[in-house]
Amino acid sequence: MRFAGYAAIFDRIDKGGDIIRPGAFGDFPEGKSLPLLWQHDPMRRIGRVDFVREDRRGLRVIGTLSTATRAGREAAAMLSRAAVKGLSFGYRVKRAAGDKPRELLDLDVAEISLVTFPMQTYAKVHIISGA
């Protein structure tokens, strides 16, 4: 099962009081691999991220779910029923400004996750194929 969506949207305050600004993700090197996790759990890898890029709207991702693991099967079943469609990402802040809201200006992305409760309302899967 493949999906596409946004793991982050620019210029919106998230539930933690942060705003991600355009340019915060920079350029992902060609061939950079990011794990696709279930609910940010590093022990529950559910597939792979095939594409990740910053565009005008935010952090666009395309991923492939694997049903080789129990977590992957669970995630695929939930996504196909639209029971879960949130996307999120794990990161390290390299540069930020301000407080309440904090502006995130430079981030190092460690992983992309399919989640039940994304920090940003509009960070979600928009397209599913092979369901």
Side-chain angles (χ1 to χ4, degrees):
M1 173 186 295
R2 293 194 65 180
F3 68 89
Y6 282 87
I9 304 297
F10 293 134
D11 300 325
R12 304 243 180 200
I13 297 176
D14 68 19
K15 294 173 185 170
D18 291 334
I19 298 176
I20 302 168
R21 295 298 187 198
F25 298 108
D27 293 325
F28 283 88
E30 194 68 29
K32 179 175 177 163
S33 177
L34 290 174
L36 179 62
L37 304 180
W38 182 232
Q39 310 288 355
H40 293 294
D41 184 342
M43 301 306 292
R44 296 170 76 190
R45 193 168 185 156
I46 58 171
R48 68 177 187 268
V49 177
D50 301 314
F51 174 90
V52 59
R53 290 285 183 280
E54 178 176 312
D55 66 14
R56 290 187 329 240
R57 187 168 186 229
L59 187 63
R60 186 167 188 273
V61 298
I62 298 172
T64 302
L65 287 173
S66 169
T67 56
T69 66
R70 182 175 173 204
R73 290 188 296 276
E74 179 183 349
M78 300 280 282
L79 185 59
S80 68
R81 293 191 312 262
V84 168
K85 59 184 177 178
L87 286 170
S88 189
F89 65 100
Y91 63 98
R92 182 178 62 85
V93 177
K94 293 165 67 176
R95 190 166 56 95
D99 186 35
K100 295 183 185 184
R102 177 174 67 156
E103 295 181 75
L104 302 177
L105 305 171
D106 191 3
L107 301 172
D108 182 24
V109 178
E111 54 90 2
I112 304 295
S113 282
L114 186 61
V115 298
T116 306
F117 303 108
M119 289 293 282
Q120 293 183 323
T121 304
Y122 299 107
K124 60 186 171 182
V125 172
H126 296 283
I127 299 169
I128 301 169
S129 66

